[in-house]
Amino acid sequence: MAARSTRLRAAAGDAGNGGGGCRLAEFLRLLQPGVAREVSLLVYPSLPAAALAKLRALSALLALRLHSYIDAACIDACAGLRHLSKLDLWSPYHPLPELAPLLACANLQMLCLFDKSQRNEPLPLPPPASFRGGRGLRYFWAFTTSTFQVAGARLGHVFLCSTLEPCAEVPASAFLFLHRQQQAADLPRHPLGPLPALLAALLPPGVPLRHLTLLGFRLPRVAACSTQLADVDTLKVLSCVAEGTSGTSSEASSGGCAAWLEPLLQDMPALADLELRRCLAGKLPASLPSLRGLSRLALSDNGLATLPTGCQFWTGLREVDLSRNSFTRLPPALLGASALEGLELSGCRQLTLTAEEAEQLLQALPRLRVVELGGTASEPEVVAQLEHGLAKRRERASA
């Protein structure tokens, strides 16, 4: 009986235009075109024409992984596999060619791209939302040490995962991670561009976005509003700067993104987990207090010295991370976080927690179980006092 899953491996140099290429073509010829479902090939330098011809003949192929010098002929061969649902293209030494022909793969749901080559211009990506006749990709992963370009944005790493078929246990939703180019940290950041256009190009139509991470971008001074953010419950904006700053590592904290975040947060009524790390330059978004559904708030490494008081959103927080900020005393706003279970203050080098403040934490926050104070200026006796009270509380809870 013919195998339905086949893995062929050719060592570097074996699949050139000589006898090695013929051997690879003969191996592929052994597969019955209507039976083979999965093929994985590691071939260097590139797939010869004879092997590509045999690959095109595998009409029932569902999954294909190619680790090679991916060229235009290889892309055309992949585009002719009309039943293909999963495609992995790994080209660590040779720039990926134009990828638009892959839009002809009418059943493609999962696409992975890896390009570790150096290129002078970004590689245009066909919009993932345009695949399958506009139904979009269910899984998309792309990584390059240079840049890809989609909807005007230059990206180095994209990860999109979505559930397209909702059920009682798993509703339709999408997870999206975007990172700038993977080059040295002191090179200028590329602008992100209009977020609504980028989301429309990436997300499968009709699938709500639940998780969005933006890492290392230069963001516009003002964000464009987008209805695609209404279902987001987790937002992470990490190491970003605002337009008008150089975006180098020496200025990473000088381009606060609070103005860009203000209208964005207003578009996220379902937000429960918010992480803004190294992007605020000491200024919180004015719309932050309106987020009444937050259960986790992480504001590490932002140069913050104060927090707003009297805001209702503090009462629902269970976890707060304020590490590596500029507090000198315990922010009074924390005493209003009555549901708080974990508090991270490590790395706040100027923070001196007093014995009175430690007692206030224990009295005002009955659910508090963990407080991290490593790397602060607090006296060891005060830290020990607080930890003793928390340890007794944890013991009672586990009894």
Side-chain angles (χ1 to χ4, degrees), residues 1 3 17 23 26 58 62 74 84 178 183 185 193 270 298 300 343 347:
M1 180 180 293
N17 293 321
R23 288 195 298 271
E26 288 302 307
L58 301 178
L62 299 178
C74 185
L84 199 65
L178 302 175
Q183 296 176 345
S300 64
L343 175 60

Side-chain angles (χ1 to χ4, degrees), residues 222-386:
V222 179
C225 296
S226 174
T227 57
Q228 294 161 303
L229 301 175
D231 297 293
V232 171
D233 57 36
T234 301
L235 173 66
K236 298 184 179 184
V237 180
L238 316 174
S239 299
C240 292
V241 298
E243 279 187 333
T245 58
S246 69
T248 60
S249 58
S250 61
E251 293 188 4
S253 62
S254 65
C257 302
W260 182 82
L261 284 161
E262 285 175 11
L264 203 71
L265 295 178
Q266 292 175 355
D267 287 341
M268 300 182 177
L271 196 61
D273 186 340
L274 176 62
E275 181 172 352
L276 307 175
R277 187 200 327 147
R278 206 172 185 232
C279 63
L280 296 178
K283 181 181 179 182
L284 290 173
S287 54
L288 182 63
S290 65
L291 301 175
R292 299 184 179 182
L294 283 182
S295 60
R296 177 179 179 268
L297 177 63
L299 300 172
S300 64
D301 206 5
N302 280 308
L304 298 173
T306 60
L307 294 175
T309 58
C311 300
Q312 189 174 353
F313 80 93
W314 289 112
T315 60
L317 288 168
R318 296 197 303 271
E319 181 181 344
V320 172
D321 183 354
L322 299 172
S323 58
R324 299 185 301 280
N325 277 296
S326 302
F327 305 110
T328 58
R329 301 293 296 273
L330 181 73
L334 291 175
L335 299 178
S338 55
L340 196 62
E341 299 172 4
L343 175 60
E344 175 70 69
L345 291 167
S346 60
C348 296
R349 299 181 180 180
Q350 304 174 58
L351 176 63
T352 302
L353 186 72
T354 66
E356 180 182 359
E357 289 170 338
E359 186 60 29
Q360 287 176 338
L361 279 175
L362 292 171
Q363 294 297 325
L365 309 179
R367 299 184 183 180
L368 191 62
R369 297 293 184 268
V370 178
V371 178
E372 297 291 344
L373 289 165
T376 69
S378 303
E379 294 293 336
E381 294 81 4
V382 175
V383 176
Q385 170 193 340
L386 178 59

Side-chain angles (χ1 to χ4, degrees), residues 49-116:
L52 286 175
K54 298 300 182 184
L55 187 63
R56 290 189 186 96
L58 301 178
S59 57
L61 200 62
L62 299 178
L64 175 62
R65 187 178 191 272
L66 296 179
H67 200 301
S68 182
Y69 287 2
I70 308 294
D71 55 18
C74 185
I75 295 297
D76 289 339
C78 295
L81 299 170
R82 58 191 180 91
H83 292 295
L84 199 65
S85 64
K86 179 180 180 181
L87 177 62
D88 290 7
L89 298 177
W90 291 68
S91 187
Y93 309 114
H94 186 271
L96 284 171
E98 172 65 42
L99 299 170
L102 294 179
L103 289 169
C105 297
N107 294 296
L108 193 64
Q109 296 191 46
M110 305 177 71
L111 177 61
C112 298
L113 304 171
F114 181 86
D115 182 350
K116 206 175 179 182

Side-chain angles (χ1 to χ4, degrees), residues 133-179:
R135 289 177 293 161
L137 293 171
R138 182 170 63 86
Y139 181 99
F140 178 67
W141 181 86
F143 177 91
T144 179
T145 49
S146 298
T147 53
F148 298 113
Q149 184 165 327
V150 58
R154 297 178 66 174
L155 312 169
H157 185 189
V158 183
F159 174 58
L160 166 67
C161 183
S162 61
T163 56
L164 298 182
E165 303 298 334
C167 61
E169 293 77 17
V170 183
S173 62
F175 173 106
L176 181 61
F177 173 92
L178 302 175
H179 190 186

